[in-house]
Amino acid sequence: MSDIRQYQKENVIHFRKTKEKYGWLSNMASGYKVKVNSIIIYSSEALYQACKFPAFPEIQKEIISQKSPMTAKMISRREKENVRADWMKIRVNVMRWALRVKLICNKDSFGQLLLSTNNKPIVELSNKDDFWGSFEKENNLLVGTNALGRLLMELREDIMKKNLDNINSVAPLNYPEFLLLGKKISEVRCNQGDLNYGFLTMNSGFQVGF
């Protein structure tokens, strides 16, 4: 997913800030917890960022313990020297997987909202990143790879084909060391009631409840 796309701003659903009309499309939006390996994580952004560090469960723990998706991202940036070597090759597939986990765990909210966008193009606006998003140029032209927007559109299409009620699980990615806190990530199945509380346990002998 490397080709550049162009969109007319008035013809698309676009988002930048989480408090704007379509801000819930952002990975930075709050209120969309996920559950992986029986661990509650506050956002798909934290889950995505944690996947960069399978060999460092302590870094993963710090990331997924954050209520703020932006703080989780900042911790990831701080630890950039420890990111898995193949990250740039697998990052789009990891994001695709993380979005599907977000859907499975939030079908009644995120899933229904995604369907409400109908067939309009979805574009993330950005001032810094034209890979995941797009830059706004003159004459309301949006230019960029828009990888996140395209993954959201792909997910929406899948929902429309299969029906939301028939999407109930997400398989783990088939990559070496696809781990969370030292354990292989298993198939994700999630009910909304599962997200009311969580308990995170570390092998190092301490526990963090949240």
Side-chain angles (χ1 to χ4, degrees), residues 15 17 40 48 53 68 73 81 87 95 122 129 158 182:
F15 64 97
K17 297 180 180 180
I40 308 296
Y48 171 79
F53 307 100
S68 164
K73 186 175 183 177
E81 70 278 6
W87 182 250
M95 182 64 82
I122 297 173
D129 185 351
D158 197 39

Side-chain angles (χ1 to χ4, degrees), residues 115-122 153 156-157 160:
L115 284 174
S116 74
T117 63
N118 299 311
N119 289 314
K120 281 193 172 184
I122 297 173
M153 287 186 278
R156 180 182 63 192
E157 183 177 356
M160 294 175 73

Side-chain angles (χ1 to χ4, degrees), residues 1-24:
M1 189 178 285
S2 59
D3 53 314
I4 302 297
R5 300 290 178 91
Q6 296 187 2
Y7 309 87
Q8 283 298 138
K9 188 175 182 180
E10 63 269 21
N11 296 329
V12 307
I13 287 173
H14 53 83
F15 64 97
R16 187 198 310 266
K17 297 180 180 180
T18 59
K19 293 185 178 180
E20 295 176 346
K21 182 177 181 180
Y22 292 104
W24 53 268

Side-chain angles (χ1 to χ4, degrees), residues 49-80:
Q49 296 296 339
C51 287
K52 295 180 179 180
F53 307 100
F56 299 92
E58 292 287 344
I59 296 175
Q60 287 189 323
K61 187 196 78 72
E62 185 178 7
I63 290 172
I64 66 175
S65 296
Q66 303 305 316
K67 291 185 177 180
S68 164
M70 182 56 71
T71 303
K73 186 175 183 177
M74 293 301 101
I75 294 169
S76 175
R77 286 181 176 176
R78 183 192 72 198
E79 301 290 345
K80 59 184 179 180

Side-chain angles (χ1 to χ4, degrees), residues 9 11 15 20 31 54 96 135 139-141 194:
K9 188 175 182 180
N11 296 329
F15 64 97
E20 295 176 346
R96 178 182 285 112
F135 292 161
N139 301 316
N140 292 324
L141 185 66
D194 295 340

